[in-house]
Amino acid sequence: MQNLMANARIVLVNTSHPGNIGGVARAMKNMGVHNLVLVDPQEFPSGKADARSAGAKDVLQNATIVPTLEQAIEGCGLVVGTSARSRHIPWPLQDPRETAAQALAELPKHPVAFVFGREDRGLTNDELHLCNFHVHIPSHEDFSSLNLAAAVQVIVYELRMALLAAEKGDAPAPMWGTEWDEELATSEQMERLFEHMEETLVDIEFFDPKYPRQLLARLRRLFLRARLDRIEHNILRGMFTATQRTLKKLR
Amino acid sequence: MQNLMANARIVLVNTSHPGNIGGVARAMKNMGVHNLVLVDPQEFPSGKADARSAGAKDVLQNATIVPTLEQAIEGCGLVVGTSARSRHIPWPLQDPRETAAQALAELPKHPVAFVFGREDRGLTNDELHLCNFHVHIPSHEDFSSLNLAAAVQVIVYELRMALLAAEKGDAPAPMWGTEWDEELATSEQMERLFEHMEETLVDIEFFDPKYPRQLLARLRRLFLRARLDRIEHNILRGMFTATQRTLKKLR
């Protein structure tokens, strides 16, 4: 399924700073996207681009350079242009998550281009009008212009999140967002743990069964919501045993 | 609702390149986040940071500089550390979207810290063990290390998306599926709890500091992921105090 990304194309129009091209290459490769097309870059190739790419030099070396945006989007079935919010003609405007969902649905069918404008003034209206949709990264109104590589980072991150969600299908998310390496304690183990805990709390004179208040309930809630694995369960049992043994030795 | 973000804190640990600090400040301000805390930065203030911030110089000027991560997270009710996927002890691991949803639910209650490590080797295990949760940006296995400013960009973007969704009325589910009735223990309280726990474990002859293995890390993980409230924290402190007092009486 990863090779879906072979149909994703990042297009940078008339970029001023080669360092930004390197930063874009790194962000792309981090998220598994490799096709970079540069429309009339002001300085490329460049040592500054290589340096900022930090190991994504292959993306730079394989980049295509073309003179116009029309050539950059050739063959694409879907073209999305990044845009500041207000334009004199309103265009279908998505947020990055909507864009990623739509792109993912179309990547099996045809190449999809994500077009990013100049550092200082974005895409021209003519360029924006070559796009099917515009995508707006919802930045704060008072300070809305993202660094070019940061903007690409957001888009390719959303693409990767969409890809990973699709690969997982509807499988439920694992408990902590990751596979735990140990089996969980069983409910019987937990009950014996709570008995042992109560016994120990009496031994250390912290708990008086005549005045239980909410103490045991609160401790149950804590350990049950933490979902103990077997090692953690064993550690707590070990702590209670050690406490009782040490007290016994002294008594 | 924007002022929710006043409780969001971006913490950078031991950053090497001041340009990255500037890039982080820009990404933050773009997404409406302003509190930056620098733990022992290698070069700051710096003209390179100012240049890359591209107008977010106020974030840099208001940044707090502290010598340790413990000081950087003081007062925080939730601490999330960025992490590569595999660690020798798995910690509760979220993706950036899950982290943002959880953070947004908690920002009205207490400061929330997002902790980012060194450019070349991230956070140490000790630093990661100060965190309630870890967040992993799902980068490609073959090229997984994001630029520092790019990583911050992803997290603050997700925070802003969560904020905007909440403003629209898609409020995230509260932390435990219900409103908690007690305030959470602070990170300082948790650290004192862990010190007290270690002392007590030595007293009951369960823990030998000469052979620490993973015992303390596993107990930290358990209590940090359970997110203790103040009463639970007090109960555990009370248990340790009672154990020590009872042993003392007998010795």
Side-chain angles (χ1 to χ4, degrees):
Chain A
M1 199 153 186
Q2 295 281 356
N3 62 2
L4 269 188
M5 289 303 169
N7 259 343
R9 192 183 294 182
I10 300 294
V11 179
L12 306 183
V13 177
N14 205 202
T15 309
S16 301
H17 301 295
N20 282 333
I21 301 177
V24 165
R26 180 176 182 177
M28 290 170 58
K29 191 172 175 183
N30 281 152
M31 298 293 136
V33 178
H34 292 83
N35 298 328
L36 177 60
V37 182
L38 305 172
V39 178
D40 187 26
Q42 290 190 21
E43 185 187 338
F44 189 85
S46 154
K48 288 178 214 155
D50 293 350
R52 277 277 294 282
S53 79
K57 219 173 142 178
D58 52 327
V59 173
L60 296 175
Q61 281 164 345
N62 295 324
T64 309
I65 303 179
V66 294
T68 66
L69 178 55
E70 285 84 346
Q71 286 164 279
I73 60 177
E74 219 172 76
C76 289
L78 173 64
V79 180
V80 184
T82 47
S83 167
R85 194 178 289 272
S86 61
R87 290 282 156 185
H88 63 292
I89 303 183
W91 214 259
L93 189 68
Q94 301 178 320
D95 72 29
R97 195 158 302 159
E98 294 164 336
T99 295
Q102 172 141 16
L104 198 74
E106 303 198 18
L107 282 170
K109 296 180 244 170
H110 45 238
V112 175
F114 304 89
V115 184
F116 297 80
R118 296 150 194 86
E119 286 95 333
D120 53 348
R121 55 206 166 84
L123 296 168
T124 64
N125 281 334
D126 284 348
E127 288 161 351
L128 282 165
H129 292 176
L130 292 170
C131 302
N132 299 102
F133 299 103
H134 296 162
V135 56
H136 174 68
I137 298 173
S139 52
H140 197 281
E141 313 74 57
D142 298 341
F143 189 68
S144 61
S145 169
L146 272 72
N147 166 267
L148 178 60
V152 172
Q153 179 69 67
V154 167
I155 300 298
V156 292
Y157 160 75
E158 282 286 7
L159 259 185
R160 187 159 174 81
M161 288 291 276
L163 177 72
L164 294 175
E167 283 178 346
K168 268 202 299 191
D170 286 326
M175 180 178 51
W176 292 110
T178 179
E179 290 302 336
W180 211 248
D181 59 341
E182 293 294 331
E183 274 186 79
L184 295 189
T186 65
S187 55
E188 302 91 271
Q189 287 173 322
M190 290 304 290
E191 289 311 310
R192 287 199 296 275
L193 173 69
F194 292 134
E195 285 163 25
H196 195 175
M197 184 176 71
E198 180 173 348
E199 223 181 83
T200 311
L201 293 178
V202 172
D203 291 345
I204 63 171
E205 296 162 36
F206 185 66
F207 176 64
D208 183 345
K210 274 187 295 195
Y211 306 101
R213 289 166 304 163
Q214 298 181 318
L215 181 68
L216 297 179
R218 286 184 184 272
L219 286 166
R220 288 185 73 90
R221 179 182 67 171
L222 191 171
F223 290 114
L224 287 173
R225 81 168 181 266
R227 315 292 310 282
L228 301 193
D229 69 28
R230 296 199 185 186
I231 293 186
E232 293 165 342
H233 160 272
N234 292 344
I235 289 173
L236 292 177
R237 286 296 295 261
M239 283 167 59
F240 299 142
T241 301
T243 303
Q244 291 181 313
R245 191 182 52 221
T246 309
L247 288 173
K248 209 166 170 187
K249 265 198 303 194
L250 294 171
R251 262 166 188 155
Chain B
M1 202 157 184
Q2 295 283 357
N3 63 1
L4 268 188
M5 289 303 167
N7 258 343
R9 193 182 293 183
I10 300 294
V11 178
L12 306 183
V13 177
N14 206 201
T15 309
S16 300
H17 301 296
N20 282 334
I21 300 177
V24 165
R26 180 176 182 179
M28 289 170 59
K29 191 172 175 183
N30 281 150
M31 298 294 135
V33 178
H34 292 84
N35 299 327
L36 176 61
V37 182
L38 305 172
V39 178
D40 189 26
Q42 289 189 25
E43 186 187 336
F44 189 85
S46 156
K48 288 176 215 157
D50 293 348
R52 278 277 295 281
S53 79
K57 217 172 144 179
D58 52 327
V59 173
L60 295 175
Q61 281 163 344
N62 295 323
T64 309
I65 303 180
V66 294
T68 66
L69 178 54
E70 284 84 347
Q71 285 163 279
I73 61 177
E74 219 171 80
C76 289
L78 174 63
V79 180
V80 185
T82 45
S83 168
R85 192 177 289 273
S86 62
R87 289 282 157 186
H88 62 296
I89 300 183
W91 214 262
L93 188 68
Q94 300 178 322
D95 71 29
R97 196 157 302 159
E98 294 164 333
T99 294
Q102 173 141 16
L104 196 76
E106 302 199 19
L107 282 170
K109 295 181 243 172
H110 44 238
V112 175
F114 304 89
V115 185
F116 297 80
R118 295 150 194 85
E119 286 93 334
D120 53 347
R121 57 207 163 79
L123 295 167
T124 65
N125 280 334
D126 283 348
E127 288 161 351
L128 283 166
H129 291 176
L130 291 170
C131 301
N132 298 103
F133 298 103
H134 296 161
V135 56
H136 175 68
I137 297 172
S139 52
H140 198 282
E141 313 76 56
D142 298 341
F143 189 69
S144 61
S145 171
L146 271 72
N147 166 265
L148 178 59
V152 172
Q153 179 69 66
V154 167
I155 300 296
V156 293
Y157 160 75
E158 282 285 8
L159 259 185
R160 186 158 175 83
M161 288 291 276
L163 177 72
L164 295 175
E167 284 177 347
K168 267 200 304 188
D170 308 329
M175 183 174 47
W176 296 110
T178 176
E179 284 304 334
W180 210 247
D181 56 342
E182 293 293 332
E183 273 186 81
L184 296 187
T186 65
S187 58
E188 301 91 272
Q189 287 174 320
M190 291 303 292
E191 288 310 309
R192 287 197 297 271
L193 172 68
F194 291 132
E195 285 164 25
H196 195 177
M197 182 177 72
E198 179 172 348
E199 224 181 81
T200 310
L201 293 179
V202 172
D203 290 345
I204 63 170
E205 295 164 37
F206 184 64
F207 176 65
D208 182 345
K210 273 186 295 192
Y211 306 100
R213 291 166 304 166
Q214 298 180 321
L215 181 69
L216 297 179
R218 285 183 185 274
L219 286 166
R220 287 185 74 91
R221 179 182 68 172
L222 191 170
F223 290 114
L224 286 172
R225 81 168 182 266
R227 314 294 311 283
L228 302 192
D229 70 27
R230 299 204 181 182
I231 292 186
E232 293 165 341
H233 160 271
N234 292 344
I235 289 173
L236 292 177
R237 285 295 294 261
M239 284 168 58
F240 299 141
T241 300
T243 303
Q244 291 181 313
R245 192 184 48 223
T246 310
L247 288 174
K248 210 165 169 186
K249 266 198 301 198
L250 294 171
R251 264 169 184 155

